[in-house]
Amino acid sequence: MDLALRITVSKTTAPPSLIIRPNSSKPIPILSFTHTISKSSPLLNLTTQFPKSKYTNKLTAISSSLLSTQPLEEEDEDELTERLDEDEKFDWFANWYALMPVCDLDKRAPLGKKVMGLDVVVWWDRNENTWKVFDDRCPHRLAPLSEGRIDQRGRLQCVYHGWCFSGSGDCKLIPQAPLDGPPVHSFPRACVAVYPSTVQNGIVWFWPNTDPEHKDILAKKKPPYVPELDDPSFSFQMFNRDIPYGYEVLVENLMDPSHVPVHASCTVKVDREGGLPLDVNVHNLDNNGFTTIQKPDRIWKFVSPCLFQGVITIGASPENTQENLAQKPAQKDILIFFCIPVSPGNSRLISAFPRNFRLWIDGFVSRWMHHIMQNLVIDSDFYLLKVEEEKLMEAGPSNWQKVCFMPTKADTTVVVFRKWLKKYAGGQVDWGSTKFNGYLPPSLPREQLLDRYWSHVVNCSSCNGAYKGFKTLQLSLEVFSVASVAIIAATKSEMISVAARNTLAVVAVLCFVGSKLLSHFIYKNFHFHDYNHASK
């Protein structure tokens, strides 16, 4: 239960780290949460880990105004935006994006996904022993390659006309081309566009540009690395779900520390609507993101464009020196959220909550059980956020501060994110050449909006396996119930005892009731579970 609640109740940020730009020699980001709190190492020293910008003083003034109840003066913000150098502006198509957790991919079949408005297909190339990401369209007639298959030679095959492609994107076979004719399969136009990709922290990442100049981008810039996701002393379950509202709303919802307050250990939920006053401070706002500190044991960090992550240190105090931590490591709840822009009005969430205590829990709670609780928490905000997004779109993204009244420090992180978005990233996601018309998709009925099957179950290996198992059990109970009734009806009274007949009747009833209860369980946990705040 506590794992699920953490998905929307997080109130901290990871210590700052260095982020490189594509043409920079700065270090690769290492997002470690190994932060100690001691009298000799004050918390504010975190700010010294960031490279100082020539606009540091200006940004500090902006952060100070954000922490007050007074809105930032528009002329100050516009002046800063005009003075930004080109390398300080955020480029949406010059960053790595998380695609899918490896544990939810099938090496036997390709999978289609949309990220940044781009349709891509991820598939396992057994010849090169790696995951590949292609443009999801066959150059022949533009059929989606994600509907294809992996052929007997380990190539990606389009099922429309059978064209086959190697891991480099080269066409290796056109069945319709005569063997004694020109080698049309070798023509450049027969190739598929290939995106740079890599696997890190158990997630497939891709770079949203197929230009050959980005072929070796991994050597220049890597995705943000979270050591705890590879640390065997931490336990976690990876989660992914498609979200029917946009990236901006998803990020600021996860950044909101007060809409579901919790105890420091993340195990005790308190009054949601009542909330608590919070003191949040901002550090190091630049185009790479920012850090917010609520208290010494709760630190959050936004690493643009996708990673929002934090740490809750249980029992943090000034006495937690390096010597003490070496003898007994601090108990940490790490909260990792990868927020992926899909298209206007749609996003994707990949999350994990590593912890280095109570590891025995995972021996008793399966991954799909964790996901049921996480889905329940996500569903609690779906309708609210969809309506919020529509109202913000009506007002215009640049008018968010005029239509939303946010006078307390508890709103600081959300306000800073919107300021970052406007100052460095154009105020909203830049969809580039995908040429969306700027309108949100039509509103969905509540049952489709909160659908779990297509947004999560089919994309999760654990939940999909559990779903199929429960459906098989349900069918077995129904068959056994009908068979028991049929045996009773078809068997003459002298051929079966009264006790046996009654036993079959009881079994038939129990199986029928069990199948109905199981059907309700399947629908409620794997399809649709309505969330009524008035009854909570």
Side-chain angles (χ1 to χ4, degrees):
M1 183 87 179
D2 53 273
L3 275 179
L5 290 177
R6 283 201 292 270
I7 196 165
T8 54
V9 302
S10 312
K11 297 184 269 188
T12 56
T13 283
S17 57
L18 296 174
I19 307 295
I20 65 169
R21 299 189 180 95
N23 298 317
S24 171
S25 60
K26 295 180 182 179
I28 293 168
I30 302 294
L31 305 177
S32 174
F33 294 103
T34 309
H35 172 69
T36 59
I37 303 168
S38 66
K39 294 178 180 179
S40 62
S41 178
L43 187 59
L44 292 181
N45 284 345
L46 288 170
T47 59
T48 62
Q49 298 183 38
F50 270 93
K52 291 188 177 181
S53 167
K54 60 184 177 180
Y55 300 114
T56 299
N57 294 335
K58 190 73 175 180
L59 292 173
T60 302
I62 291 174
S63 296
S64 299
S65 67
L66 287 172
L67 293 176
S68 70
T69 58
Q70 300 299 322
L72 180 68
E73 294 295 334
E74 288 296 328
E75 57 268 26
D76 290 343
E77 183 176 297
D78 293 339
E79 177 187 349
L80 177 62
T81 303
E82 292 174 1
R83 292 177 57 190
L84 291 176
D85 291 338
E86 283 299 318
D87 64 346
E88 288 190 299
K89 294 181 181 178
F90 184 79
D91 185 350
W92 289 93
F93 285 89
N95 284 274
W96 289 94
Y97 289 87
L99 193 57
M100 278 290 288
V102 172
C103 61
D104 291 323
L105 294 174
D106 187 349
K107 291 183 177 180
R108 300 167 299 177
L111 178 69
K113 285 293 176 183
K114 186 188 290 288
V115 178
M116 283 298 297
L118 303 171
D119 291 308
V120 301
V121 55
V122 55
W123 64 285
W124 176 253
D125 180 5
R126 72 168 183 254
N127 296 311
E128 297 187 24
N129 201 37
T130 187
W131 292 99
K132 295 297 180 70
V133 180
F134 283 7
D135 183 20
D136 193 14
R137 56 179 173 177
C138 179
H140 179 213
R141 297 275 293 279
L142 309 184
L145 293 172
S146 56
E147 293 295 320
R149 65 170 71 94
I150 310 299
D151 73 0
Q152 66 274 14
R153 296 186 180 181
R155 304 172 298 191
L156 180 60
Q157 183 178 47
C158 176
V159 294
Y160 193 19
H161 292 93
W163 289 31
C164 295
F165 305 92
S166 68
S168 62
D170 296 333
C171 183
K172 295 300 184 182
L173 174 66
I174 298 179
Q176 297 78 23
L179 296 178
D180 56 351
V184 292
H185 69 276
S186 64
F187 291 4
R189 292 191 61 187
C191 298
V192 177
V194 180
Y195 291 96
S197 60
T198 187
V199 174
Q200 183 170 282
N201 288 144
I203 298 172
V204 175
W205 297 75
F206 91 110
W207 185 270
N209 197 320
T210 59
D211 195 302
E213 68 177 281
H214 298 280
K215 181 179 180 181
D216 299 320
I217 190 63
L218 187 61
K220 303 175 184 178
K221 182 176 181 178
K222 298 181 184 295
Y225 179 63
V226 183
E228 287 75 11
L229 292 180
D230 291 332
D231 189 339
S233 66
F234 283 80
S235 177
F236 64 91
Q237 299 289 353
M238 198 74 76
F239 174 85
N240 82 85
R241 183 165 176 177
D242 291 334
I243 308 294
Y245 48 80
Y247 159 87
E248 298 89 344
V249 175
L250 173 62
V251 173
E252 65 181 22
N253 180 55
L254 295 171
M255 286 183 173
D256 183 357
S258 59
H259 77 286
V260 187
V262 293
H263 185 265
S265 66
C266 279
T267 59
V268 181
K269 180 179 177 181
V270 298
D271 180 28
R272 175 190 179 107
E273 286 72 23
L276 295 169
L278 300 174
D279 188 8
V280 182
N281 297 286
V282 182
H283 300 265
N284 308 304
L285 173 65
D286 61 21
N287 69 331
N288 296 318
F290 55 87
T291 300
T292 59
I293 301 174
Q294 183 184 335
K295 55 177 68 174
D297 65 348
R298 300 187 184 192
I299 306 172
W300 282 93
K301 184 174 179 63
F302 170 62
V303 181
S304 59
C306 293
L307 178 57
F308 185 57
Q309 36 101 48
V311 58
I312 296 178
T313 303
I314 300 174
S317 69
E319 286 69 37
N320 285 347
T321 62
Q322 291 283 2
E323 294 75 17
N324 292 338
L325 291 175
Q327 297 177 2
K328 184 180 180 182
Q331 293 184 345
K332 293 181 181 291
D333 267 330
I334 314 296
L335 300 102
I336 311 296
F337 302 100
F338 296 103
C339 306
I340 301 122
V342 173
S343 61
N346 292 283
S347 56
R348 184 173 302 112
L349 174 66
I350 298 176
S351 63
F353 309 124
R355 69 185 188 284
N356 60 354
F357 62 99
R358 292 188 302 182
L359 305 183
W360 56 268
I361 292 178
D362 288 339
F364 297 92
V365 183
S366 300
R367 184 178 177 227
W368 64 268
M369 296 179 184
H370 284 287
H371 289 183
I372 285 177
M373 297 308 301
Q374 291 178 35
N375 279 319
L376 181 63
V377 176
I378 291 177
D379 287 348
S380 68
D381 292 323
F382 257 26
Y383 185 73
L384 304 178
L385 296 173
K386 188 61 179 177
V387 173
E388 173 191 328
E389 181 179 45
E390 293 171 352
K391 293 184 181 299
L392 286 174
M393 184 60 68
E394 291 175 1
S398 61
N399 295 321
W400 66 271
Q401 198 170 17
K402 296 178 181 178
V403 296
C404 297
F405 179 53
M406 294 175 285
T408 68
K409 285 190 176 182
D411 297 315
T412 297
T413 311
V414 174
V415 173
V416 174
F417 170 68
R418 284 288 179 173
K419 293 295 182 182
W420 174 87
L421 202 61
K422 182 175 182 179
K423 196 176 308 168
Y424 296 101
Q428 58 187 350
V429 177
D430 177 11
W431 300 106
S433 59
T434 49
K435 297 180 180 178
F436 287 108
N437 57 18
Y439 294 101
L440 296 176
S443 298
L444 298 172
R446 196 178 184 96
E447 189 167 352
Q448 293 183 34
L449 186 67
L450 274 68
D451 167 74
R452 294 182 181 179
Y453 183 78
W454 293 108
S455 65
H456 171 71
V457 174
V458 296
N459 296 313
C460 174
S461 59
S462 300
C463 291
N464 199 16
Y467 176 82
K468 292 178 179 178
F470 283 125
K471 292 293 287 185
T472 300
L473 178 58
Q474 178 192 352
L475 179 61
S476 299
L477 290 174
E478 292 173 349
V479 169
F480 201 87
S481 177
V482 173
S484 298
V485 173
I487 291 174
I488 295 174
T491 305
K492 295 181 180 180
S493 57
E494 62 271 12
M495 296 179 62
I496 187 172
S497 66
V498 174
R501 185 182 296 273
N502 291 340
T503 300
L504 281 175
V506 171
V507 170
V509 171
L510 291 177
C511 288
F512 176 78
V513 173
S515 68
K516 292 302 178 183
L517 292 175
L518 189 56
S519 176
H520 176 73
F521 173 84
I522 293 171
Y523 182 76
K524 185 176 180 179
N525 291 286
F526 296 100
H527 284 281
F528 169 70
H529 180 91
D530 199 5
Y531 197 98
N532 186 351
H533 288 271
S535 62
K536 301 301 180 181

